[in-house]
Amino acid sequence: MRIISGIQPTNVPTLGNYIGAMKNFVKIQNEFEDVDLLVFVADLHSITVERDRAELKKNIKTLAALYLAIGLDPAKCHLFIQSEVPEHTELSYVLECNAYIGEMERMIQFKEKSAKEGASVRTGLLTYPILMAADILLYDADKVPVGEDQKQHLEITKVIAERFNNKYGDTFTIPEPYILKSGARIMSLQDPLKKMSKSDPNQKGYITLLDNIDEAKNKIRRAVTDSIGVVKYDQENQPAVTNLINIYSNLTGESIESIEKKYEGLGYKEFKEDLANIVGDELTKIQTKYNEIIKSDILNKVLDEGRDYAHYLAVKKIRKVHKRVGLGRE
Ligand code: ATP
Ligand code: LTN
């Protein structure tokens, strides 16, 4: 079974990215049998909106190092940078010719992000899901671990793959999203109705994996709650506390019922203090490894191996696609 996923190098990944996606990569690596896992830095996806060049460079390296720091093992998976495998953009173009503009305009993420961009919405933002489809179909991935917000992009990937297969003959494996129920949507610490996002202008709403530990703990202590005062999992009436319980449960593996029971009769203060320590400990673990990796020269070796492996698979696939479509001489 082949599994692939990527994260954009925009800012440092948040606790939401970690719980919703990155932690699952490690789980898959350690628990799935016979899995060929590819994880990449989606740098091409990140230039669909204006980016500072130096910052992008830095974020690419940081994300790659964080993949290793959270426990991805280069002996068990392949890590690479999307733009270093040119077949992603090659396939993307062929798929663009098999996808409709109306389909792209219906994407929620496009609607949300283009509304923020005003008059200068780039064409790449519209075609973003096609590049994502190419990332997946290029490798015949069976499963794609992502957070809830990517579900629609996975659905359109399936539509494009099926359309292509029907038109040109069986070419692509139809992928399935792999979304775990709990943690698939971690919300902002300041607004429980908004997804935790690394591009949120309000930095108190998110915690990044490289945040200063004390600051991160304070963000938990100062997270909005409600006036009910009971630690209860209730999405409708207590969305903020429910979000914190979700984070707690995901980081400790403790069940929601057991967490509710533990804090029965206690206020939010004690609950938040414990959660602040849990988050602090998790970040400390990650940052200790991260600092070792950044100092060593392992990263380049890992990314070279990953690029070569991905490229080997991608070349075979793109040749097949060109042949199916009737491009070139052969
Ligand atoms: P941006 O805010 O810059 O658009 P993002 O924080 O949404 O970025 P992405 O790089 O788009 O992050 O997403 C990487 C992965 O993390 C995806 O699988 C996505 O579904 C997941 N993810 C992002 N935010 C959350 C969240 N709040 N909760 C759970 N999973 C999330
Ligand atoms: N669009 C994704 C990142 C991404 C991705 C992929 C995830 C780009 N290509 C392929 C899984 C498979 C996002 O999280 N914003």
Side-chain angles (χ1 to χ4, degrees):
M1 179 177 19
R2 181 163 294 132
I3 297 188
I4 191 159
S5 195
I7 309 248
Q8 300 182 69
T10 50
N11 202 346
V12 179
T14 65
L15 210 52
N17 300 133
Y18 178 59
I19 294 174
M22 296 167 84
K23 232 170 132 247
N24 293 331
F25 304 165
V26 183
K27 205 171 142 71
I28 288 166
Q29 166 194 276
N30 296 336
E31 294 175 14
F32 279 43
E33 274 184 36
D34 281 335
V35 60
D36 189 25
L37 176 63
L38 289 101
V39 177
F40 63 96
V41 175
D43 57 347
L44 291 169
H45 275 94
S46 70
I47 60 165
T48 48
V49 299
E50 184 76 29
R51 297 280 166 217
D52 176 77
R53 179 178 177 275
E55 205 169 301
L56 176 59
K57 268 268 158 292
K58 193 171 108 215
N59 286 338
I60 291 171
K61 201 170 166 198
T62 301
L63 178 55
L66 275 171
Y67 279 151
L68 294 176
I70 61 160
L72 285 175
D73 176 356
K76 295 185 186 157
C77 68
H78 305 278
L79 302 179
F80 69 98
I81 295 170
Q82 184 188 30
S83 64
E84 294 183 0
V85 184
E87 289 75 17
H88 287 245
T89 38
E90 268 191 85
L91 179 58
S92 182
Y93 174 73
V94 176
L95 296 181
E96 272 180 28
C97 298
N98 288 278
Y100 304 122
I101 292 177
E103 288 173 329
M104 296 304 115
E105 285 170 339
R106 277 202 299 276
M107 295 291 112
I108 298 164
Q109 191 174 303
F110 172 72
K111 286 193 211 164
E112 284 175 359
K113 292 204 172 174
S114 59
K116 276 192 221 155
E117 294 296 301
S120 50
V121 179
R122 284 140 173 94
T123 312
L125 193 64
L126 181 70
T127 55
Y128 177 116
I130 307 179
L131 178 59
M132 181 162 164
D135 300 335
I136 297 165
L137 302 179
L138 191 54
Y139 300 100
D140 283 319
D142 301 283
K143 282 193 188 345
V144 184
V146 282
E148 184 72 34
D149 61 332
Q150 295 301 314
K151 207 170 157 187
Q152 200 186 26
H153 292 161
L154 261 297
E155 278 160 13
I156 198 71
T157 298
K158 279 167 84 169
V159 169
I160 296 172
E162 275 159 7
R163 184 178 298 144
F164 192 100
N165 284 352
N166 286 337
K167 195 164 167 197
Y168 298 108
D170 228 8
T171 310
F172 298 121
T173 300
I174 309 298
E176 287 300 328
Y178 180 77
I179 303 174
L180 296 183
K181 273 198 194 77
S182 88
R185 199 169 167 80
I186 299 297
M187 309 311 278
S188 156
L189 300 173
Q190 292 298 314
D191 178 356
L193 302 180
K194 223 172 76 184
K195 169 186 105 134
M196 182 183 283
S197 160
K198 50 182 146 64
S199 38
D200 187 343
N202 183 359
Q203 293 190 8
K204 290 188 194 132
Y206 63 86
I207 291 176
T208 83
L209 297 184
L210 296 181
D211 269 3
N212 168 284
I213 305 293
D214 287 331
E215 275 172 28
K217 286 172 146 185
N218 278 334
K219 284 185 190 174
I220 295 283
R221 291 184 186 114
R222 291 185 196 135
V224 298
T225 44
D226 52 51
S227 54
I228 300 174
V230 180
V231 179
K232 188 159 179 278
Y233 193 92
D234 180 346
Q235 189 61 57
E236 198 150 308
N237 302 308
Q238 296 181 253
V241 175
T242 298
N243 186 41
L244 297 180
I245 295 177
N246 247 330
I247 297 173
Y248 192 123
S249 169
N250 262 285
L251 294 183
T252 57
E254 226 174 299
S255 74
I256 287 165
E257 298 75 47
S258 144
I259 296 167
E260 284 177 340
K261 216 169 190 168
K262 197 162 164 184
Y263 295 98
E264 220 173 69
L266 299 171
Y268 293 147
K269 193 158 182 273
E270 198 149 351
F271 168 65
K272 278 180 163 180
E273 194 52 37
D274 286 351
L275 180 58
N277 286 327
I278 291 164
V279 169
D281 290 350
E282 189 84 10
L283 294 194
T284 304
K285 247 190 331 199
I286 295 172
Q287 291 178 13
T288 307
K289 279 188 85 179
Y290 175 84
N291 290 330
E292 282 168 22
I293 291 157
I294 278 292
K295 271 190 254 143
S296 77
D297 59 358
I298 182 181
L299 204 54
N300 275 330
K301 275 189 219 139
V302 169
L303 294 173
D304 284 352
E305 185 283 331
R307 176 203 57 209
D308 292 346
Y309 179 69
H311 188 235
Y312 161 78
L313 296 175
V315 164
K316 279 203 294 190
K317 194 74 194 179
I318 203 78
R319 279 200 192 123
K320 187 170 178 183
V321 168
H322 281 191
K323 216 172 183 169
R324 285 278 155 95
V325 175
L327 296 168
R329 268 184 292 173
E330 284 174 34

